[in-house]
Amino acid sequence: MSHRVFVGEFRVEGDKRILQCHSRGDKRYSPFFCYVKAFGTKDSIENHYQCAKRFEGCPDPGNWTAARYWKRQGCKQIAWQIGDRQLPVKSNEQGTSFAIDDWGIQYYIALWHRHLSQHPEKVEWARQFDEFEDPFKRDFPFCQADVIRVAAREGVEALLPYFAPLKQLFDTK
């Protein structure tokens, strides 16, 4: 499957300004280039997210490339290791991706929430755009473009409901 990838920070289509939220677009909005501290480790959002994946019969991934390698090898993801909790994967109805309430998706959004809370200038910059694009999204239920869209239009705190169950799980420890 090919993706139309616009290289550059944004593009204009008609009267709409579209922020490119990916590694070949505006890197300030790419999970590969946005760092945050989680469970005592400072790393990129992408590495935190990918390293949380647990695959049946495969070693724990030490970085994002290992996690993608195991997936390409046909290893089935069975859980998420988030902090000291191992949580099950929740698939979407089609079984092709994660459900919006999957623990890993919640973790991904929580990482972005933390990063954007620490960098309000990024949210402010994003407010000048009409649309937010990630051509690598595929059937991922809530990508960085979705996160940036919510934060820019409604504020960073509007992301809280998307990961409230995960936050509650860790708040009750």
Side-chain angles (χ1 to χ4, degrees):
M1 174 184 236
S2 67
H3 307 283
R4 184 171 169 250
V5 178
F6 178 84
V7 178
E9 292 183 359
F10 67 91
R11 67 185 175 90
V12 177
E13 192 173 287
D15 62 346
K16 291 188 178 193
R17 292 170 45 96
I18 305 165
L19 182 61
Q20 298 300 300
C21 304
H22 54 87
S23 57
R24 295 185 197 161
D26 192 328
K27 288 180 171 60
R28 293 174 296 179
Y29 301 95
S30 165
F32 289 98
F33 298 96
C34 293
Y35 286 77
V36 67
K37 190 173 186 178
F39 301 105
T41 302
K42 186 172 183 175
D43 208 340
S44 71
I45 291 172
E46 187 71 14
N47 216 42
H48 279 301
Y49 170 74
Q50 294 291 343
C51 287
K53 293 179 176 182
R54 295 298 177 262
F55 297 92
E56 187 173 56
C58 298
D60 297 345
N63 56 47
W64 67 268
T65 56
R68 290 192 176 173
Y69 173 80
W70 293 129
K71 184 177 179 181
R72 279 193 311 275
Q73 293 303 308
C75 296
K76 180 182 177 189
Q77 185 183 346
I78 55 171
W80 297 96
Q81 186 69 45
I82 302 173
D84 63 354
R85 306 264 179 134
Q86 192 163 92
L87 303 165
V89 171
K90 298 179 187 178
S91 296
N92 64 11
E93 287 182 19
Q94 299 79 22
T96 58
S97 187
F98 305 110
I100 187 69
D101 65 340
D102 175 73
W103 297 110
I105 300 304
Q106 291 182 55
Y107 183 49
Y108 187 74
I109 298 167
L111 292 166
W112 272 108
H113 176 267
R114 179 170 289 172
H115 179 78
L116 294 173
S117 294
Q118 295 168 351
H119 298 279
E121 72 281 0
K122 290 184 179 186
V123 177
E124 193 56 41
W125 171 258
R127 286 193 171 119
Q128 69 181 301
F129 294 92
D130 303 298
E131 297 294 334
F132 306 85
E133 192 169 81
D134 174 13
F136 304 104
K137 178 179 179 169
R138 297 184 194 109
D139 58 354
F140 194 74
F142 208 82
C143 71
Q144 63 267 16
D146 299 320
V147 168
I148 304 306
R149 178 183 302 106
V150 169
R153 290 184 180 162
E154 302 171 44
V156 176
E157 298 310 304
L159 294 168
L160 284 169
Y162 292 96
F163 65 94
L166 183 68
K167 184 177 181 330
Q168 182 179 11
L169 185 67
F170 280 92
D171 286 349
T172 58
K173 285 180 75 170

